[in-house]
Amino acid sequence: FTLNDKNEFSVLLIKRGGYPYKDKWAIPGGFANMDESIDETAARELKEETNIDNLPISQIGTFGDVGRDPRMRVISVAYMAFVPRSSLNFVAGDDAQDADIFRIDIDDNDFITLVGVKVTITENDLAFDHNKVIRTAIERLRNRIDYTNDAFRFLKDDQSFTIHELKKIYENVKYEKLDTPNFRRDFIREYVKTGKVVLTGSKAKSGGRDAATYRLVS
């Protein structure tokens, strides 16, 4: 997951070049080799299909519904990572014929539309059961963002950011408008007073005015 160039919550997908689901968009992935761990498999497949390396990936769940892969019985372990857009220099490779960042739109009926630079698709257009995987990942992220440092990983620069920048990330992930005074109060209590973030001593333009900037310590 990342924020696109307009700071909108987005996901990286690849376009499959082989069967099954040829020409369908999907999460990067593939089969494990006999001599590697599943963590190593996830990192290798991401590198092979998108040319992205060394991301802080973490497991989100196991998916094993019968019939999820028409070739055979397949049980998948899914991973996710949260990164700033500037670090996603992706290039499609291996059996992926394309790769793109898709904005995640969720309507009032909880239906997901994925808006890319070249094409717009719905969650039902994804290969395999990857709509279920993405939904699970979004739910996990929303559940953990209030008590982890996940939000900071979306920042363009975690060594110089404003409270407004961080608030926009929370709003994009949660799909809700947050009260500014309450968010500021919680930020000061949870991060500044605990020493997790500190003032940089510099200011940046935020909402048309100068705002204090912070940096992440831990």
Side-chain angles (χ1 to χ4, degrees), residues 25-51:
W25 290 89
I27 301 166
F31 291 99
N33 293 327
M34 294 300 292
D35 59 348
E36 64 184 1
S37 69
I38 53 175
D39 288 0
E40 291 170 336
T41 298
R44 174 182 56 77
E45 285 289 344
L46 184 63
K47 172 67 174 177
E48 289 178 356
E49 294 193 347
T50 67
N51 199 40

Side-chain angles (χ1 to χ4, degrees), residues 68-112:
R68 60 186 302 272
D69 190 321
R71 292 168 293 189
M72 66 186 83
R73 182 68 192 274
V74 173
I75 298 172
S76 295
V77 180
Y79 291 74
M80 64 181 175
F82 323 117
V83 290
R85 175 67 183 88
S86 58
S87 69
L88 286 180
N89 299 313
F90 55 89
V91 178
D94 194 26
D95 58 353
Q97 57 177 304
D98 200 358
D100 199 2
I101 297 291
F102 285 78
R103 185 182 80 232
I104 302 170
D105 287 347
I106 304 178
D107 66 19
D108 293 338
N109 296 316
D110 198 38
F111 187 73
I112 296 177

Side-chain angles (χ1 to χ4, degrees), residues 20 27 39 51 57 63 100 142 152 165 186 200 202 207 210:
I27 301 166
D39 288 0
N51 199 40
I57 60 175
F63 300 83
D100 199 2
R142 287 176 173 175
F152 294 90
E165 286 179 80
D186 292 343
T200 65
S202 301
D210 288 341

Side-chain angles (χ1 to χ4, degrees), residues 2 78 121 188 203:
T2 189
I121 60 175
I188 297 298
K203 293 185 179 294

Side-chain angles (χ1 to χ4, degrees), residues 127-146:
F128 305 104
D129 58 352
H130 287 186
N131 60 330
K132 181 178 179 180
V133 179
I134 289 174
R135 282 182 169 278
T136 301
I138 292 172
E139 181 180 1
R140 295 286 171 84
L141 174 56
R142 287 176 173 175
N143 288 339
R144 4 173 324 155
I145 197 169
D146 287 325

